[in-house]
Amino acid sequence: MSRRLIRRVADIGATLSTLTASAAETITGAWTFSTAPTIANPTITGAAPATPVANVLYADLVPKVWVKTSGAGTPVIDDDVNVSSLTDNGVGDFTVNLATAMATANYGVVATPIGDASEARLQAAPLTTSFRLQFFLSGGTPNDTTGFSAFAIG
């Protein structure tokens, strides 16, 4: 089964080859494609070394969780990856529950409030199944933000 006809920039006008689904091909140099190429179900493996190589994607550096919410008081999940639900623990205090547990609890979380709150904090060390966020006004008063975005990587 043929996939896409490709040509090397230096050989414009010359047909080089047609890739087939069963062929293993190595492509080097600058190439143009007749249509946008797609990659279905890529496998990304390996842990990042102490000094990662530029332009290489490592499995442990891919975000495993992200969520975008809206609504003051009791937030609603607008969109997410790997989030099963949110728990409202009180004013400005929310737990993000994961659909699939992280491999370990050693991951980083970044959260950004939307609206009134000016500060987001990780309330405690994350668990493999959830992480807890707190939102505050600039004076340190807990605040039910009008939404937040958060992601976890590790």
Side-chain angles (χ1 to χ4, degrees):
M1 165 188 243
S2 294
R3 287 289 198 197
R4 305 213 188 284
L5 179 65
I6 59 174
R7 296 183 182 157
R8 204 167 54 162
V9 172
D11 297 327
I12 295 292
T15 300
L16 296 178
S17 66
T18 300
L19 297 179
T20 60
S22 62
E25 300 282 342
T26 300
I27 302 173
T28 60
W31 292 76
T32 57
F33 294 83
S34 59
T35 58
T38 59
I39 299 174
N41 303 317
T43 300
I44 303 168
T45 60
T51 305
V53 176
N55 302 317
V56 174
L57 189 57
Y58 298 97
D60 58 347
L61 299 181
V62 175
K64 309 290 190 304
V65 175
W66 66 263
V67 63
K68 195 277 186 187
T69 72
S70 62
T74 303
V76 174
I77 297 172
D78 294 331
D79 207 353
D80 74 279
V81 167
N82 197 26
V83 173
S84 61
S85 64
L86 299 173
T87 303
D88 187 347
N89 304 306
V91 177
D93 187 346
F94 307 99
T95 299
V96 177
N97 301 296
L98 308 183
T100 301
M102 299 289 275
T104 73
N106 297 323
Y107 59 91
V109 175
V110 176
T112 303
I114 299 169
D116 298 337
S118 61
E119 185 177 331
R121 296 181 195 162
L122 192 58
Q123 191 268 349
L127 304 174
T128 58
T129 57
S130 66
F131 55 88
R132 191 166 170 180
L133 301 171
Q134 289 182 308
F135 298 93
F136 300 89
L137 296 172
S138 59
T141 304
N143 180 263
D144 276 339
T145 179
T146 56
F148 64 88
S149 294
F151 74 91
I153 191 167

Tab-separated table of all heavy atoms in Angstrom, residues 9-33:
chain	number	residue	atom	x	y	z
A	9	VAL	N	14.194	18.381	-1.792
A	9	VAL	CA	14.201	19.748	-2.293
A	9	VAL	C	15.202	19.908	-3.427
A	9	VAL	O	14.915	20.543	-4.443
A	9	VAL	CB	14.507	20.746	-1.144
A	9	VAL	CG1	14.704	22.142	-1.682
A	9	VAL	CG2	13.385	20.725	-0.125
A	10	ALA	N	16.374	19.309	-3.329
A	10	ALA	CA	17.402	19.439	-4.354
A	10	ALA	C	17.018	18.744	-5.659
A	10	ALA	O	17.596	19.025	-6.705
A	10	ALA	CB	18.727	18.879	-3.839
A	11	ASP	N	16.050	17.842	-5.628
A	11	ASP	CA	15.667	17.077	-6.811
A	11	ASP	C	14.259	17.415	-7.288
A	11	ASP	O	13.535	16.546	-7.762
A	11	ASP	CB	15.746	15.575	-6.514
A	11	ASP	CG	17.152	15.131	-6.198
A	11	ASP	OD1	18.098	15.700	-6.753
A	11	ASP	OD2	17.294	14.211	-5.377
A	12	ILE	N	13.830	18.669	-7.143
A	12	ILE	CA	12.489	19.059	-7.580
A	12	ILE	C	12.323	18.647	-9.041
A	12	ILE	O	13.166	18.887	-9.882
A	12	ILE	CB	12.271	20.574	-7.420
A	12	ILE	CG1	12.320	20.961	-5.961
A	12	ILE	CG2	10.967	21.011	-8.081
A	12	ILE	CD1	11.179	20.440	-5.132
A	13	GLY	N	11.205	18.036	-9.322
A	13	GLY	CA	10.926	17.600	-10.681
A	13	GLY	C	11.297	16.157	-10.929
A	13	GLY	O	10.833	15.550	-11.883
A	14	ALA	N	12.108	15.578	-10.065
A	14	ALA	CA	12.504	14.182	-10.240
A	14	ALA	C	11.779	13.327	-9.216
A	14	ALA	O	11.812	13.622	-8.033
A	14	ALA	CB	14.015	14.030	-10.064
A	15	THR	N	11.091	12.309	-9.671
A	15	THR	CA	10.405	11.407	-8.754
A	15	THR	C	11.430	10.469	-8.156
A	15	THR	O	12.164	9.791	-8.879
A	15	THR	CB	9.324	10.601	-9.491
A	15	THR	OG1	8.389	11.530	-10.042
A	15	THR	CG2	8.623	9.655	-8.540
A	16	LEU	N	11.488	10.418	-6.850
A	16	LEU	CA	12.487	9.580	-6.199
A	16	LEU	C	11.929	8.211	-5.856
A	16	LEU	O	12.442	7.201	-6.289
A	16	LEU	CB	13.008	10.265	-4.933
A	16	LEU	CG	13.758	11.571	-5.183
A	16	LEU	CD1	14.171	12.183	-3.861
A	16	LEU	CD2	14.967	11.338	-6.057
A	17	SER	N	10.911	8.183	-5.047
A	17	SER	CA	10.360	6.891	-4.655
A	17	SER	C	9.000	7.077	-4.016
A	17	SER	O	8.644	8.160	-3.602
A	17	SER	CB	11.289	6.173	-3.672
A	17	SER	OG	11.340	6.895	-2.455
A	18	THR	N	8.277	6.017	-3.933
A	18	THR	CA	7.019	5.986	-3.215
A	18	THR	C	7.225	5.112	-2.001
A	18	THR	O	7.696	3.983	-2.121
A	18	THR	CB	5.897	5.401	-4.103
A	18	THR	OG1	5.771	6.223	-5.260
A	18	THR	CG2	4.587	5.375	-3.342
A	19	LEU	N	6.922	5.651	-0.820
A	19	LEU	CA	7.068	4.872	0.402
A	19	LEU	C	5.935	3.876	0.495
A	19	LEU	O	4.807	4.165	0.123
A	19	LEU	CB	7.050	5.781	1.626
A	19	LEU	CG	8.175	6.793	1.741
A	19	LEU	CD1	7.967	7.627	3.008
A	19	LEU	CD2	9.520	6.133	1.762
A	20	THR	N	6.218	2.726	1.008
A	20	THR	CA	5.183	1.728	1.204
A	20	THR	C	5.013	1.464	2.692
A	20	THR	O	5.926	1.695	3.481
A	20	THR	CB	5.525	0.406	0.482
A	20	THR	OG1	6.759	-0.077	1.009
A	20	THR	CG2	5.647	0.616	-1.020
A	21	ALA	N	3.851	0.980	3.047
A	21	ALA	CA	3.542	0.747	4.452
A	21	ALA	C	4.461	-0.294	5.067
A	21	ALA	O	4.726	-0.283	6.247
A	21	ALA	CB	2.089	0.323	4.602
A	22	SER	N	4.958	-1.223	4.286
A	22	SER	CA	5.781	-2.292	4.837
A	22	SER	C	7.268	-1.987	4.778
A	22	SER	O	8.069	-2.732	5.309
A	22	SER	CB	5.501	-3.594	4.071
A	22	SER	OG	5.848	-3.419	2.710
A	23	ALA	N	7.647	-0.903	4.120
A	23	ALA	CA	9.075	-0.597	3.961
A	23	ALA	C	9.586	0.238	5.130
A	23	ALA	O	8.904	1.123	5.611
A	23	ALA	CB	9.304	0.160	2.654
A	24	ALA	N	10.792	-0.049	5.577
A	24	ALA	CA	11.473	0.765	6.574
A	24	ALA	C	12.344	1.748	5.809
A	24	ALA	O	13.223	1.345	5.059
A	24	ALA	CB	12.320	-0.102	7.498
A	25	GLU	N	12.076	3.027	5.950
A	25	GLU	CA	12.775	4.051	5.195
A	25	GLU	C	13.502	4.991	6.136
A	25	GLU	O	12.998	5.331	7.200
A	25	GLU	CB	11.791	4.869	4.347
A	25	GLU	CG	11.004	4.069	3.347
A	25	GLU	CD	11.801	3.708	2.106
A	25	GLU	OE1	12.839	4.335	1.850
A	25	GLU	OE2	11.377	2.788	1.399
A	26	THR	N	14.677	5.452	5.738
A	26	THR	CA	15.408	6.487	6.445
A	26	THR	C	15.456	7.689	5.523
A	26	THR	O	15.902	7.569	4.378
A	26	THR	CB	16.840	6.042	6.795
A	26	THR	OG1	16.755	4.884	7.622
A	26	THR	CG2	17.581	7.156	7.519
A	27	ILE	N	14.985	8.821	5.998
A	27	ILE	CA	14.940	10.028	5.187
A	27	ILE	C	15.885	11.043	5.813
A	27	ILE	O	15.767	11.360	6.994
A	27	ILE	CB	13.504	10.588	5.135
A	27	ILE	CG1	12.548	9.543	4.568
A	27	ILE	CG2	13.467	11.873	4.322
A	27	ILE	CD1	11.094	9.940	4.646
A	28	THR	N	16.804	11.562	5.034
A	28	THR	CA	17.728	12.584	5.515
A	28	THR	C	17.670	13.788	4.592
A	28	THR	O	17.170	13.708	3.474
A	28	THR	CB	19.174	12.048	5.559
A	28	THR	OG1	19.563	11.655	4.245
A	28	THR	CG2	19.302	10.888	6.521
A	29	GLY	N	18.206	14.902	5.039
A	29	GLY	CA	18.212	16.106	4.222
A	29	GLY	C	16.894	16.852	4.322
A	29	GLY	O	16.027	16.522	5.114
A	30	ALA	N	16.724	17.872	3.478
A	30	ALA	CA	15.502	18.673	3.456
A	30	ALA	C	14.539	18.078	2.442
A	30	ALA	O	14.894	17.846	1.291
A	30	ALA	CB	15.836	20.114	3.083
A	31	TRP	N	13.304	17.836	2.872
A	31	TRP	CA	12.300	17.204	2.019
A	31	TRP	C	11.021	18.033	2.023
A	31	TRP	O	10.716	18.707	2.997
A	31	TRP	CB	11.977	15.800	2.529
A	31	TRP	CG	13.113	14.840	2.390
A	31	TRP	CD1	14.230	14.769	3.161
A	31	TRP	CD2	13.261	13.829	1.415
A	31	TRP	NE1	15.051	13.779	2.728
A	31	TRP	CE2	14.482	13.170	1.649
A	31	TRP	CE3	12.470	13.401	0.344
A	31	TRP	CZ2	14.928	12.129	0.873
A	31	TRP	CZ3	12.916	12.352	-0.433
A	31	TRP	CH2	14.141	11.727	-0.165
A	32	THR	N	10.274	17.942	0.938
A	32	THR	CA	8.938	18.523	0.904
A	32	THR	C	7.957	17.391	0.659
A	32	THR	O	8.286	16.405	0.008
A	32	THR	CB	8.787	19.576	-0.213
A	32	THR	OG1	9.103	18.978	-1.467
A	32	THR	CG2	9.693	20.763	0.031
A	33	PHE	N	6.752	17.536	1.183
A	33	PHE	CA	5.731	16.514	1.058
A	33	PHE	C	4.563	17.060	0.253
A	33	PHE	O	4.211	18.225	0.381
A	33	PHE	CB	5.247	16.071	2.447
A	33	PHE	CG	6.298	15.377	3.245
A	33	PHE	CD1	7.235	16.087	3.973
A	33	PHE	CD2	6.355	13.995	3.269
A	33	PHE	CE1	8.211	15.437	4.704
A	33	PHE	CE2	7.323	13.333	3.995
A	33	PHE	CZ	8.261	14.049	4.712
